[in-house]
Amino acid sequence: MSFGKMNTFIDIISTVPVKDAEGFVKKGDNILASVRAYKEDRHGSERWTNMASFSNASSLFRFRKISGIKVTTKMVIACEDGRYQILSVEDVRGRGMYIEVLAEKLESSTVR
């Protein structure tokens, strides 16, 4: 993956419980990393057709592996287009250099 193709800035976010001033707990965002990524939206290509098991995935993100951070399906990706719930995380070709994430766009009514 060339650096020129990774032209989308993303934040990898975990939601953590946060107490407000009155002592009530609500979910807050904890930004774990801000990186550049390659983003590909769903379209009618052969590759997206082959990923039929992830029919609700709307975007694919590919970025360099971040040392010290294990990306999981409990995390969210935020970029200029909105927020995306991570559905699957895969090490590209098993080399430990790049991470490929399939994600579903969160609508404003389903944001957690």
Side-chain angles (χ1 to χ4, degrees):
M1 179 68 36
S2 69
F3 196 65
K5 286 188 174 186
M6 295 194 301
N7 55 9
T8 303
F9 291 97
I10 66 168
D11 292 328
I12 300 172
I13 300 171
S14 70
T15 55
V16 293
V18 177
K19 283 190 180 181
D20 61 7
E22 289 84 30
F24 293 102
V25 176
K26 62 179 183 174
K27 288 191 177 184
D29 290 342
N30 181 22
I31 298 176
L32 301 174
S34 297
V35 296
R36 292 171 65 122
Y38 167 74
K39 180 180 181 242
E40 180 180 313
D41 289 323
R42 183 181 199 141
H43 48 78
S45 71
E46 183 177 335
R47 180 173 185 187
W48 279 97
T49 305
N50 291 337
M51 292 189 284
S53 63
F54 293 104
S55 60
N56 54 351
S58 58
S59 294
L60 175 141
F61 294 91
R62 192 175 296 137
F63 50 90
R64 290 185 186 266
K65 186 173 182 183
I66 305 160
S67 62
I69 296 177
K70 181 172 173 36
V71 180
T72 65
T73 56
K74 295 180 181 179
M75 297 178 183
V76 175
I77 291 179
C79 65
E80 62 186 15
D81 297 340
R83 294 170 69 101
Y84 294 84
Q85 179 65 45
I86 296 176
L87 300 175
S88 122
V89 180
E90 184 178 340
D91 184 4
V92 177
R93 296 186 183 163
R95 294 184 181 170
M97 293 176 62
Y98 292 96
I99 302 292
E100 186 174 88
V101 170
L102 288 174
E104 175 185 16
K105 185 162 185 163
L106 294 174
E107 301 301 325
S108 60
S109 62
T110 61
V111 174
R112 297 179 190 140

